């Protein structure tokens, strides 16, 4: 699986700016779903 | 420093008030400037500082060093509580981005548009959608600026370390 998009989202998540569907998808990814 | 901090937190978790005093002396100078930068009012910053350290004392038993250093634990908490404070005091819309300190001076090397969105995210706690609304820019533009800015920041920090 290619996680490159998640790597990109991770930086935005780290500064607290991720929201909306991006945040939902990223947190789902973090949860291992 | 991380090891000393982790040891202090463990001692705090066991109820050691002397360890807490040392912990406070060690970390208050680190987190207070960050809190003040966000809330701007010194009295509010002092209140938030006390709140942050009270929570650190209370939550010390739950601290897990595998999830981050004591520095990160405190800075994250301080930032979050400071943002809560400006939201609760109704000064949210008045927040501005203060000058950067030496620790993240690398931001100065970013293009203005990229630096602006990252500062808004970090210092005022705005999300990418809120930043887009505030700057009256398309969400996609804001996302791109944040991502490019963070990528460049990573390169700058990497090459200077």
């Amino acid at each position: 699986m290619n996680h490159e998009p998640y790597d990109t989202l991770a930086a935005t998540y780290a500064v607290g700016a991720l929201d909306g569907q991006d945040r939902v998808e990223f947190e789902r990814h973090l949860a291992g779903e | 420093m991380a090891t000393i901090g982790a040891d202090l937190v463990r001692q705090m978790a066991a109820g050691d008030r002397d360890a807490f005093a040392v912990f406070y002396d060690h970390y208050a100078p680190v987190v207070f400037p960050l809190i003040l930068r966000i809330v701007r009012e010194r009295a509010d910053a002092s209140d938030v500082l006390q709140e942050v350290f009270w929570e650190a004392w209370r939550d010390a038993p739950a601290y897990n060093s595998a999830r981050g250093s004591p520095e990160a634990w405190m800075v994250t908490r301080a930032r979050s509580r400071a943002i809560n404070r400006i939201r609760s005091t109704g000064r949210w819309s008045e927040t501005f981005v203060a000058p950067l300190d030496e620790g993240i001076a690398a931001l100065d090397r970013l293009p203005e548009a990229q630096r602006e969105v990252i500062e808004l995210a970090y210092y005022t706690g705005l999300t990418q959608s809120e930043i887009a609304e505030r700057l009256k820019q398309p969400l996609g533009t804001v996302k791109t600026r944040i991502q490019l800015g963070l990528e460049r920041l990573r390169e700058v920090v990497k090459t200077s370390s």
Side-chain angles (χ1 to χ4, degrees), chain B residues 3 5 16 44 57 76 90 95-96 98 101 106 111 122 148 150-151 153:
Chain B
T3 302
D16 187 334
D44 282 345
W57 170 259
T76 302
T95 55
F96 74 113
D101 61 26
Y122 192 80
L148 291 176
L150 291 172
E151 281 173 20
L153 201 57

Side-chain angles (χ1 to χ4, degrees), chain A residues 8 11-12 15-19 22, chain B residues 79 121 127-129 143 147 150:
Chain A
T8 304
T12 308
V15 295
L18 207 59
D19 64 1
D22 288 342
Chain B
R79 177 175 171 272
T127 65
Q128 54 192 11
S129 301
K143 285 183 183 181
Q147 289 164 9
L150 291 172

Side-chain angles (χ1 to χ4, degrees), chain B residues 27-38 49 101:
Chain B
Y27 289 104
V30 175
V31 298
F32 186 74
L34 171 64
I35 295 169
L36 183 60
R37 193 178 301 282
I38 295 171
L49 185 73
D101 61 26

Side-chain angles (χ1 to χ4, degrees), chain B residues 35-40 82-98 119-126 130 134:
Chain B
I35 295 169
L36 183 60
R37 193 178 301 282
I38 295 171
V39 303
R40 293 195 288 161
I83 288 171
N84 287 347
R85 173 58 64 106
I86 56 173
R87 281 181 163 146
S88 69
T89 55
R91 289 190 285 109
W92 183 245
S93 61
E94 301 170 16
T95 55
F96 74 113
V97 176
E119 287 178 338
L120 283 169
Y122 192 80
Y123 285 121
T124 70
L126 297 183
E130 292 167 334
R134 178 175 289 200

Side-chain angles (χ1 to χ4, degrees), chain A residues 6 10 13 23-33:
Chain A
Y6 290 120
Y13 186 81
R23 183 178 180 123
V24 171
E25 288 179 9
F26 185 72
E27 291 187 336
R28 191 175 290 156
H29 167 67
L30 287 180
E33 294 178 18

Side-chain angles (χ1 to χ4, degrees), chain B residues 1-2 5-6 9 23 27 30-31 34 52 63-80 122:
Chain B
M1 185 161 143
V9 176
F23 184 84
Y27 289 104
V30 175
V31 298
L34 171 64
V52 166
Y63 170 72
N64 181 354
S65 59
R67 297 181 63 184
S69 68
E71 290 81 3
W73 189 55
M74 291 301 289
V75 166
T76 302
R77 188 182 296 265
R79 177 175 171 272
S80 171
Y122 192 80

